Amino acid sequence: MRTQTSLMFLGSTTVNCAKKPNMSKPTGFTLVELLVTIAIIGVLVSLLLPAVQAAREAARRAQCVNGLRQIALAVHNHHDARHVVPVSARTVGLTTQPRIAAMTQLLPYFEEGNLRDRFDLSLNWGHLNNRVVVNTPIAVLNCPSDPEAADRLDGLPELNPFVAEIGAATDYSPTVWVDKRLVSAGLVDRTNSVEGAATDEPGIMEYNNPKASFKLVTDGLSKTILFAESSGRPFLYRQGQKIDTELAVARVNGGGWCRPASDVIVSGFSVDGVVETGPCAINCANGSDIVAAGYPHPYYVTYGTGAPYAFHPGVVNHAFGDGSVRSLSDSLEIREYARLVTRAGGEVAASE
Amino acid sequence: MKAFPSRFPGRFGGLLGLAPAIAIATLLTGCSDPAVERVPTYPVSGTLTHQGRPATGAFVTLHPTTPLANAPTPRGSVAPDGTLRVSTYTANDGAPAGDYVMTVEWYKPTNQGGELIPGPNVIPRKFASPKTSQLRVSVVERENVIPAIRL
C-alpha cells in the first residue's frame, strides 16, 4: 500500500524527488541477508582452515624429511671415512668403558663437530663433565611436527624419582634390532638363526657391533631402514594421546640423542599401544612405559623402549640405507616392517 | 504491508537454511575408515612360576592348533607378581575361542659385574617350540583361567 502511494507521489511531483528518495526503500541489510553472509563465510572458513593446517603440517613434514636425510648422509660420510657404520656401544658388566651413542660418533658428519670435540669419549653420557654437550639441543635432530619442546631433557633411567636433567632429545633414532619374541610369536619371519637359538634380528646399525658396515646389508641399502622417527620421547604417547605430563608417572626409556638406549628395538605393539610385542608396527605408541614395567625392564633390562612414532597424519618418515627418506604408512603390519628393518633377512619386502 | 521488504523473495529463503547443512556435510565426508574385522576374544589369565618364583618378564605365546583368520597370535608377558594375561588385539583382551599350544620363553636378566644384562632362555627348550611343548590351553567363550603353570 505504502509503495503504491509513494509511487503515486513520485509520479505526481518532480520537485521533492532528490530530498526524499528512500522513504519507501530502507537501506541496510535484513536479518536474513546477514545470516546468509555469515553462513557463506562460515562455509568458506571451514573449507579453508583444515587446508591451511594441512599445508602447514606438510611443510613441517618436509623439514622432518630433510633432517632424516641429513642424518642418513652423515652415516654414509662416516662409512666412507671409517668403513663401518656408527653403532651405539653399550658395554655392560665389569668394565670402565663408557656408553657412547652412535649419534655422538656421528656428530662431526653433520657439522656438529664442535660438540663432538667437547664430548669426552672416555666418560659416560651421564657424566657431569659431558653435561653441557649432551644438554645442547641439535636442530637437525628435532622434527617440527613434534609438539614437545625441542630443548626437553631426558635423564638417568635408574633415578627414582626420575629427574629430567640430562640429554637433549632426538626425534630420530636408528632401528637396531627386531625383538626376538616377535619371532617366537610368529608375528615376524625368522631370518638369521635356526629354530630354538633365538637372537634379535639385527638392523644396519646393530647395537654393540663395531664391525657393522654396509657390507652386511645384503637385503640392499634401498630396502633396509636406517633411521626411524620416534617423536615425543621421553614423554609417553599412545595413539596421539600424551599419557602424562609428569615423566615420573609415565615415560619411555630413551629420547636423549646422547643415549644408546634411544636406539629403537622394534617390538611392535598391541593396537591400543599398551602392550609391547604385537601386530602394530608404527604409530600405536612411541614406546613402552618404563615406569609401569619398572627399571630395569624385565625384558629389555637397561636397553631402550622407544618405538617408531611420529605426529604426521598416518605416516612415519624413515631414512633408508641408501640415503633416501620415505614415509611408511601406519597400516604397515609388523611382519612387513620387520622385513624392512632386518639387514640380511633374505626376504622380499613389499613396496610400501 | 511490509515494513522491511526482503531483497530476496520468499522462495530463496528456504535455500539459505541449507547452507550450514551443506557445510557440515562437506566436513564429515571422507573421514570414515572401514573397521578391521576382529574375531571376538575372551579373557585368558593364569600364573607362571619357574622353580617356585614368579617368572617376571617371561613371554608366553598361544599357538593356535588351527590357524586363526584375521587375528595375530595371542601372547602375553608375565607380570612382577607372576600373573599372566593374554593379549590379541588390545591389552589383555584375551584370545579367540579355540585350542592352543602354549610356548614359554624367559630371557631372564642376569647379573654381570653388578649390572643386569639380557640373559639366555632359562626355561627348558622343549617349552619354546609349539612342536615339542606339551602345554595345552583351550579358550572357551567365557572368562578363562589357565591352571597354575610351574616350570
Side-chain angles (χ1 to χ4, degrees):
Chain A
M1 283 308 201
R2 195 172 169 177
T3 323
Q4 280 175 359
T5 45
S6 73
L7 277 174
M8 284 158 67
F9 175 72
L10 280 169
S12 60
T13 63
T14 50
V15 184
N16 289 332
C17 179
K19 276 191 178 176
K20 295 181 181 174
N22 294 322
M23 279 292 284
S24 61
K25 269 194 148 192
T27 55
F29 299 102
T30 65
L31 182 65
V32 174
E33 286 164 7
L34 198 67
L35 289 178
V36 168
T37 315
I38 291 170
I40 291 172
I41 291 172
V43 170
L44 288 178
V45 168
S46 67
L47 291 177
L48 192 67
L49 255 186
V52 169
Q53 288 297 359
R56 294 180 67 86
E57 164 53 25
R60 285 193 290 262
R61 203 165 86 193
Q63 196 176 335
C64 227
V65 167
N66 180 56
L68 271 168
R69 192 186 303 273
Q70 299 291 333
I71 306 302
L73 294 181
V75 173
H76 275 262
N77 287 335
H78 184 283
H79 193 272
D80 287 348
R82 300 177 179 236
H83 308 293
V84 289
V85 293
V87 296
S88 296
R90 288 193 48 105
T91 322
V92 288
L94 280 172
T95 173
T96 51
Q97 282 181 293
R99 295 174 172 185
I100 305 295
M103 201 64 90
T104 309
Q105 309 282 7
L106 214 48
L107 288 173
Y109 300 94
F110 57 95
E111 300 195 330
E112 295 290 352
N114 293 347
L115 274 181
R116 164 65 189 79
D117 290 345
R118 285 184 172 82
F119 191 103
D120 187 347
L121 284 184
S122 66
L123 299 173
N124 218 340
W125 59 267
H127 196 278
L128 199 60
N129 291 7
N130 283 331
R131 192 65 53 88
V132 176
V133 179
V134 302
N135 283 10
T136 308
I138 300 174
V140 177
L141 300 181
N142 195 263
C143 177
S145 301
D146 187 344
E148 295 300 335
D151 60 352
R152 66 189 186 276
L153 295 176
D154 203 349
L156 287 172
E158 62 268 30
L159 280 187
N160 194 4
F162 181 78
V163 189
E165 57 179 5
I166 312 169
T170 176
D171 286 328
Y172 318 121
S173 285
T175 49
V176 291
W177 278 329
V178 174
D179 191 327
K180 54 180 174 277
R181 295 177 295 175
L182 288 172
V183 181
S184 312
L187 289 171
V188 308
D189 304 327
R190 181 179 297 278
T191 57
N192 71 348
S193 57
V194 292
E195 197 171 345
T199 48
D200 294 306
E201 313 274 331
I204 298 180
M205 289 165 67
E206 182 187 4
Y207 257 138
N208 274 349
N209 182 357
K211 290 188 175 142
S213 74
F214 288 148
K215 197 168 73 184
L216 300 176
V217 189
T218 53
D219 281 355
L221 287 172
S222 65
K223 293 182 172 61
T224 309
I225 295 168
L226 190 59
F227 273 84
E229 271 187 86
S230 185
S231 276
R233 297 175 302 171
F235 293 97
L236 179 65
Y237 278 86
R238 287 176 186 145
Q239 308 265 32
Q241 300 295 315
K242 190 174 183 173
I243 300 305
D244 206 288
T245 51
E246 282 298 322
L247 286 170
V249 177
R251 73 172 187 279
V252 177
N253 185 19
W257 61 256
C258 59
R259 291 190 61 194
S262 295
D263 291 8
V264 171
I265 301 170
V266 174
S267 72
F269 277 87
S270 61
V271 180
D272 52 6
V274 178
V275 181
E276 76 215 20
T277 65
C280 176
I282 293 174
N283 263 355
C284 282
N286 71 343
S288 187
D289 186 3
I290 192 67
V291 180
Y295 184 89
H297 190 280
Y299 177 75
Y300 296 119
V301 197
T302 56
Y303 291 89
T305 64
Y309 191 88
F311 292 91
H312 318 300
V315 294
V316 173
N317 294 321
H318 286 79
F320 281 67
D322 61 348
S324 65
V325 179
R326 277 170 257 169
S327 298
L328 299 183
S329 159
D330 56 12
S331 62
L332 196 67
E333 286 249 321
I334 189 76
R335 191 181 303 276
E336 289 297 329
Y337 188 77
R339 285 175 179 167
L340 291 172
V341 170
T342 56
R343 65 184 176 200
E347 65 279 272
V348 180
S351 55
E352 73 286 337
Chain B
M1 189 158 148
K2 273 172 146 186
F4 297 100
S6 169
R7 282 180 190 171
F8 297 96
R11 60 196 171 98
F12 286 118
L15 264 181
L16 298 172
L18 279 178
I22 293 167
I24 290 165
T26 315
L27 285 177
L28 289 184
T29 47
C31 291
S32 63
D33 210 6
V36 182
E37 281 220 8
R38 290 185 185 176
V39 186
T41 56
Y42 304 93
V44 181
S45 61
T47 58
L48 204 156
T49 52
H50 176 64
Q51 295 171 353
R53 289 226 181 100
T56 307
F59 185 67
V60 167
T61 310
L62 298 184
H63 298 271
T65 48
T66 51
L68 296 169
N70 292 332
T73 320
R75 68 231 163 262
S77 291
V78 177
D81 60 354
T83 57
L84 165 72
R85 289 170 85 189
V86 175
S87 308
T88 300
Y89 302 101
T90 58
N92 308 325
D93 61 347
D99 292 326
Y100 297 89
V101 178
M102 179 191 275
T103 59
V104 184
E105 289 166 288
W106 188 20
Y107 299 97
K108 188 183 177 184
T110 55
N111 194 325
Q112 195 186 76
E115 189 167 13
L116 287 173
I117 61 163
N121 183 12
V122 295
I123 305 282
R125 256 187 65 180
K126 68 170 183 174
F127 294 109
S129 168
K131 289 175 195 145
T132 50
S133 175
Q134 289 138 6
L135 302 167
R136 308 276 153 165
V137 175
S138 278
V139 176
V140 292
E141 297 180 359
R142 57 172 165 78
E143 186 123 2
N144 297 272
V145 179
I146 308 171
I149 303 161
R150 296 183 192 86
L151 300 175

